[in-house]
Amino acid sequence: DLELRARFDEQNNIRWAERMEEAGCTLLYGSEALKVHSKICLITRRAKAGVQYITQVGTGNYNEKTAKLYTDLSLMTADPVIGADAAAFFQNMAIGNFHGEYQRLLASPLGLRDKVMALIDREIAKGSQGYLFFKLNSITDRMLIDKLAQASQAGVEVVMNVRGICCLMPGVPGLTDRITVFSIVGRYLEHSRVYQFGRGEGADLYISSADFMTRNTERRVELACPVLDRWARERLFHIIDLLQRDNVKARELKPGGSYHPRDPEGQERVNCQEVFQRETVSPPVLLPLHSSPRAGRRALPPWLRRLLPKER
C-alpha cells in the first residue's frame, strides 16, 4: 500500500511508484478521501501445513532517514489471527473497503476509537483499581478526551506521555485530578504510540500508528496491534516504566497549562533516551518472575541468548 499524498514529495513518490510497477510490484493506491497512515507488512508463506503469515506492524514510516531521528516501535509476529487480520486488511484496501472488521487489529476510520473507548470503560468499571497509560504525539479528539475525564472521575489512574498538542488539561479538581500528562523532548523525536489498559499480566497492550486526534480516528486509515508475546510485553513494560521515570527531559503539564521539569532531587537521574540508546548495544535481561538466572536464561528467545555473555 503506497501513500502518494506526502506533502511536498508527491513527484518523488510518483516516480518511485512507476519504478516499482515496472519491476512487477502490485501497488494499491489509497482513497482520495482518506489518508493511509498505517504501517504494516505481511509475508505470506505457503507450507505443507497450509498458509503461514508473518506480520510486521510499526509506529513509524519505512524511511531510512527518519529511522535515525525518531523513536519508534516495531512488532514482528507469527500469530495466525493477527496474520489473518493483516491479510483481510490488505484485501479490503485493494477493493477500497475502509470499514473492515478484524479479530485483533484495531483499524480506523471505523473501529479503533470505539474499541479504545470500550477498553477505557472496562477500566472505569474497576474504579480506583483501574489504570491507563498512553504514549502519543498529540490528543485533540473530544470524544476520547471526555472519556478519559470520565475515567479520572471514576477513580482510574491515567498517565499520558504526550509529546506535542494536548487538549486535555490534567489535574483539574473533580474533573481530571487523576490524570497526569508529561512530555519528553530529547535528542530523538518521540514518535511511537502505545496504549495500555490495566496492569500486570492482565493488561491489554497495543502499539499503533494513531494519535488521539480526529484526523487519525475519523479521516485516516490507522492500525493498532496487540502485543501478546510474553517477552515483547516485558520489553514494552520496561519502556513504559523508563518513560515515566525520566526526570531529565520530562516536563509535566500543570492545570494552568504550563509545563514544569520534574525535580530529580534525592533520586537517580534518568534520561530515558540515553538509557534506550545504551540498551540498543546491550539489551536488558528480562527474566521471568520467581526464576533462577540459569532457568531464566534458558527461557529467553534464542536471539536474546546470543547477545548475553556466555555462562561459566
Side-chain angles (χ1 to χ4, degrees), residues 5-303:
R5 298 180 63 195
R7 288 172 293 178
F8 314 120
D9 206 23
E10 291 85 352
Q11 186 59 49
N12 189 43
N13 280 334
I14 292 172
R15 190 179 301 114
W16 272 107
E18 292 172 346
R19 290 183 63 181
M20 293 172 73
E21 287 180 325
E22 290 171 359
C25 297
T26 300
L27 270 61
L28 308 178
Y29 294 92
S31 162
E32 183 178 346
L34 291 172
K35 177 184 176 77
V36 178
H37 193 248
S38 53
K39 295 89 170 62
I40 183 169
C41 174
L42 178 66
I43 301 170
T44 304
R45 178 175 179 267
R46 298 189 184 279
K48 292 182 179 180
V51 176
Q52 296 178 345
Y53 295 117
I54 298 174
T55 312
Q56 184 270 334
V57 180
T59 65
N61 298 327
Y62 301 107
N63 185 310
E64 72 276 9
K65 293 182 179 178
T66 58
K68 298 176 182 178
L69 304 172
Y70 291 11
T71 70
D72 272 302
L73 293 169
S74 174
L75 175 70
M76 207 161 202
T77 176
D79 182 279
V81 180
I82 293 176
D85 278 355
F89 174 78
F90 279 110
Q91 290 168 3
N92 285 328
M93 293 297 100
I95 61 174
N97 174 21
F98 300 101
H99 302 286
E101 296 183 2
Y102 309 99
Q103 295 184 65
R104 288 187 173 163
L105 292 180
L106 312 184
S108 67
L110 183 70
L112 188 148
R113 181 169 60 190
D114 288 347
K115 180 61 175 179
V116 167
M117 292 182 68
L119 288 167
I120 295 174
D121 278 332
R122 187 192 69 183
E123 296 306 304
I124 289 175
K126 299 177 184 177
S128 60
Q129 299 302 309
Y131 178 79
L132 298 165
F133 173 85
F134 298 103
K135 182 180 186 299
L136 308 162
N137 291 335
S138 302
I139 173 169
T140 63
D141 187 300
R142 182 59 186 266
M143 293 177 66
L144 288 168
I145 289 172
D146 288 345
K147 180 60 69 173
L148 290 169
Q150 182 186 348
S152 173
Q153 293 159 33
V156 177
E157 181 183 357
V158 183
V159 181
M160 305 184 68
N161 175 200
V162 184
R163 172 175 54 82
I165 301 168
C166 183
C167 293
L168 188 160
M169 190 68 71
V172 179
L175 295 175
T176 59
D177 46 355
R178 295 278 293 172
I179 298 178
T180 301
V181 176
F182 67 97
S183 174
I184 294 176
V185 178
R187 175 178 178 180
Y188 302 102
L189 181 76
E190 289 289 343
H191 191 251
S192 56
R193 293 86 166 181
V194 180
Y195 313 157
Q196 178 181 344
F197 307 89
R199 300 181 189 272
E201 293 185 1
D204 283 291
L205 287 174
Y206 289 83
I207 62 170
S208 180
S209 59
D211 289 306
F212 285 179
M213 306 176 75
T214 50
R215 73 178 189 182
N216 299 90
T217 56
E218 296 179 3
R219 299 193 298 274
R220 286 185 176 182
V221 176
E222 304 274 14
L223 286 176
C225 180
V227 180
L228 306 173
D229 177 79
R230 181 179 183 183
W231 295 107
R233 287 170 61 85
E234 288 295 330
R235 177 63 179 164
L236 195 50
F237 280 132
H238 173 68
I239 291 171
I240 292 170
D241 175 64
L242 269 174
L243 289 168
Q244 295 189 55
R245 289 198 291 118
D246 189 301
N247 54 21
V248 175
K249 294 295 185 180
R251 300 292 184 268
E252 289 198 5
L253 179 59
K254 300 300 180 182
S258 58
Y259 286 85
H260 296 271
R262 289 171 170 170
D263 183 7
E265 185 176 353
Q267 301 176 3
E268 177 188 3
R269 290 176 62 85
V270 177
N271 181 332
C272 68
Q273 290 193 358
E274 288 185 355
V275 176
F276 294 143
Q277 190 170 11
R278 289 197 302 269
E279 291 179 353
T280 300
V281 179
S282 301
V285 180
L286 304 173
L287 298 178
L289 296 176
H290 312 299
S291 173
S292 68
R294 186 176 294 274
R297 185 185 183 109
R298 287 196 299 270
L300 292 172
W303 66 268

